[in-house]
Amino acid sequence: MPRAVRERQMLDAAVRSFARHGYQTASMDEIAELAGVSKPLVYLYLNSKEELFTACIRREAEALLAAVAAGVEGRELPPDERLWAGLLAFFTYAAEHPDSWVVLSRQARTQGEPFATEASRMREEIAVYVAGLIGEAAREAHGAATITERDVTALAQALVGSAESLATWANETPGVTAKEAAATLMNFAWAGLGNLMKSERWSPR
Amino acid sequence: MPRAVRERQMLDAAVRSFARHGYQTASMDEIAELAGVSKPLVYLYLNSKEELFTACIRREAEALLAAVAAGVEGRELPPDERLWAGLLAFFTYAAEHPDSWVVLSRQARTQGEPFATEASRMREEIAVYVAGLIGEAAREAHGAATITERDVTALAQALVGSAESLATWANETPGVTAKEAAATLMNFAWAGLGNLMKSERWSPR
């Protein structure tokens, strides 16, 4: 079996193990077993539990960003539909990869260094991407002149924070679908609480 | 000096030390020195570094919640003004107590267990409080019938997540005032991106 395939199997097994037991408790024995390989091979390929965990954080963050980008890019959409497509892609990814979401949103941040720094670097990359989308939308819309670069950065931070928080809640709350979570955030972020209170919801055209 | 006063000095010193060096690196020697007491006295009062850190998380979370409640309660305000008062109180607290905010938003979550669980219990308490405010606002407004309990809980999660994210960004970005951060979030959460794009901002009456 090619090395790349074996490595992927090891990372898949590791994400599952880290999500379920946490970094400290997850064992290299279980990861090797889940991956269907010997423990020495895991060490040969990934060096140490620390490097394995770091590789998981990177791979999962990149996959998440790719999923969101795939939902948004390459289509001509008005700004609200683009946000909706991005949110739907994000919540769908988090719902379909709950272990990945636990590793990124919780394990990576709660296991101390060097993982917290790695996780915050990845999060910053996502915030910059989201700021790009908001800035683009603002330039296309009437309000462009009144929204500064700093506004855009701040709004991206607010949007990323609300999405993280809501994805964790959605994954932990029985019966909440990705679409429902995305719709809640779309209404919060696009229509705003002011309109929601007047029953003026955002809805797709 | 009464025990309560001494304990407060120790906790003040500990919050400062933990925020600056992190839980692992902060030393009981420095904490005792900052508090102006002997190290054995810190152990006598707070038992261990772990218990001292847990006591910091609890005290700081309670102080934050009290600051927000003080901004909101006891005044008859329309829902948007109440949200504005709460956000302003929150960002002001975070800006004026940057060490406290670092301990709550970062250290408490990134130092593993049992602190991560304690931090998430505190956060849940804040989310429940915010959900109460949103639910109350919805009941007073026209939209009450169309906003379910689950919507309210989800919106509270989105709001808390965006506030956390923005407070960290604001504290780390030179020149961003508490009022500016609160105004950004007010516009995001109340007016919504849809209105912002049309230059329709929320503003106090």
Side-chain angles (χ1 to χ4, degrees):
Chain A
M1 206 174 278
R3 179 170 174 142
V5 177
R6 280 238 187 277
E7 264 196 37
R8 182 154 51 76
Q9 287 171 336
M10 289 176 196
L11 287 172
D12 288 345
V15 167
R16 198 165 142 194
S17 236
F18 288 135
R20 288 171 192 196
H21 310 298
Y23 174 67
Q24 299 300 336
T25 317
S27 79
M28 292 298 262
D29 285 300
E30 190 194 83
I31 292 168
E33 202 191 310
L34 280 173
V37 299
S38 70
K39 197 160 78 164
L41 196 67
V42 180
Y43 280 105
L44 181 69
Y45 279 19
L46 278 316
N47 286 323
S48 64
K49 193 175 170 185
E50 187 178 307
E51 284 189 36
L52 178 58
F53 191 48
T54 305
C56 287
I57 298 171
R58 283 201 190 138
R59 190 187 69 159
E60 300 310 303
E62 277 161 22
L64 173 63
L65 192 51
V68 173
V72 173
E73 314 284 347
R75 294 194 285 163
E76 285 294 323
L77 293 172
D80 59 334
E81 298 279 352
R82 207 182 309 149
L83 176 60
W84 171 240
L87 291 179
L88 202 53
F90 166 71
F91 284 101
T92 302
Y93 185 86
E96 287 176 355
H97 304 82
D99 288 342
S100 171
W101 183 247
V102 167
V103 165
L104 284 178
S105 64
R106 181 155 323 150
Q107 299 299 346
R109 292 182 184 177
T110 57
Q111 302 303 328
E113 296 302 349
F115 315 119
T117 297
E118 183 67 28
S120 102
R121 212 176 59 77
M122 289 291 165
R123 186 189 190 275
E124 194 44 37
E125 205 173 299
I126 288 170
V128 166
Y129 176 76
V130 171
L133 294 179
I134 294 177
E136 212 178 296
R139 276 188 296 278
E140 285 173 25
H142 291 294
T146 67
I147 299 183
T148 66
E149 272 303 303
R150 193 152 95 179
D151 282 340
V152 166
T153 306
L155 290 170
Q157 289 290 338
L159 185 56
V160 168
S162 58
E164 285 171 338
S165 176
L166 207 54
T168 297
W169 174 81
N171 277 10
E172 288 172 357
T173 306
V176 178
T177 64
K179 199 173 172 185
E180 182 184 339
T184 298
L185 191 49
M186 187 67 199
N187 274 299
F188 180 69
W190 192 265
L193 290 172
N195 289 317
L196 290 189
M197 298 292 168
K198 294 183 280 176
S199 299
E200 287 166 17
R201 287 171 179 268
W202 179 88
S203 55
R205 273 178 279 265
Chain B
M1 208 175 277
R3 178 169 176 144
V5 177
R6 280 238 187 277
E7 264 196 36
R8 181 154 52 75
Q9 287 171 335
M10 290 176 195
L11 288 172
D12 288 345
V15 167
R16 199 166 140 193
S17 234
F18 288 135
R20 290 176 189 192
H21 309 298
Y23 175 67
Q24 299 300 337
T25 317
S27 78
M28 294 296 264
D29 285 301
E30 190 194 83
I31 292 169
E33 203 191 310
L34 281 173
V37 299
S38 70
K39 196 160 76 162
L41 196 67
V42 180
Y43 281 105
L44 181 69
Y45 280 16
L46 278 318
N47 286 323
S48 63
K49 194 175 170 186
E50 187 177 308
E51 285 188 37
L52 178 58
F53 191 48
T54 305
C56 288
I57 299 171
R58 283 202 190 138
R59 190 187 70 161
E60 299 311 302
E62 278 161 21
L64 173 63
L65 192 51
V68 174
V72 173
E73 313 284 347
R75 295 194 284 163
E76 285 294 324
L77 292 173
D80 59 333
E81 298 278 353
R82 207 183 307 150
L83 177 59
W84 171 241
L87 292 179
L88 202 53
F90 167 71
F91 284 102
T92 301
Y93 186 87
E96 288 176 354
H97 303 83
D99 289 341
S100 172
W101 182 246
V102 167
V103 165
L104 284 178
S105 65
R106 181 155 325 149
Q107 300 298 346
R109 292 183 183 174
T110 57
Q111 302 303 327
E113 298 300 350
F115 315 119
T117 298
E118 183 68 27
S120 103
R121 212 175 60 77
M122 289 292 165
R123 186 190 191 275
E124 193 44 38
E125 207 173 298
I126 289 170
V128 166
Y129 177 75
V130 170
L133 294 179
I134 295 177
E136 212 178 295
R139 276 188 296 279
E140 284 173 24
H142 291 294
T146 68
I147 299 182
T148 65
E149 272 302 303
R150 194 151 94 177
D151 283 340
V152 166
T153 305
L155 290 170
Q157 288 291 339
L159 185 57
V160 168
S162 58
E164 285 170 341
S165 176
L166 207 55
T168 296
W169 173 82
N171 277 10
E172 288 171 357
T173 306
V176 177
T177 63
K179 198 172 172 187
E180 182 185 340
T184 298
L185 190 49
M186 188 65 201
N187 274 299
F188 179 69
W190 191 265
L193 290 172
N195 289 317
L196 290 189
M197 299 291 167
K198 294 183 281 177
S199 298
E200 287 166 16
R201 287 173 179 267
W202 178 89
S203 56
R205 273 179 279 266

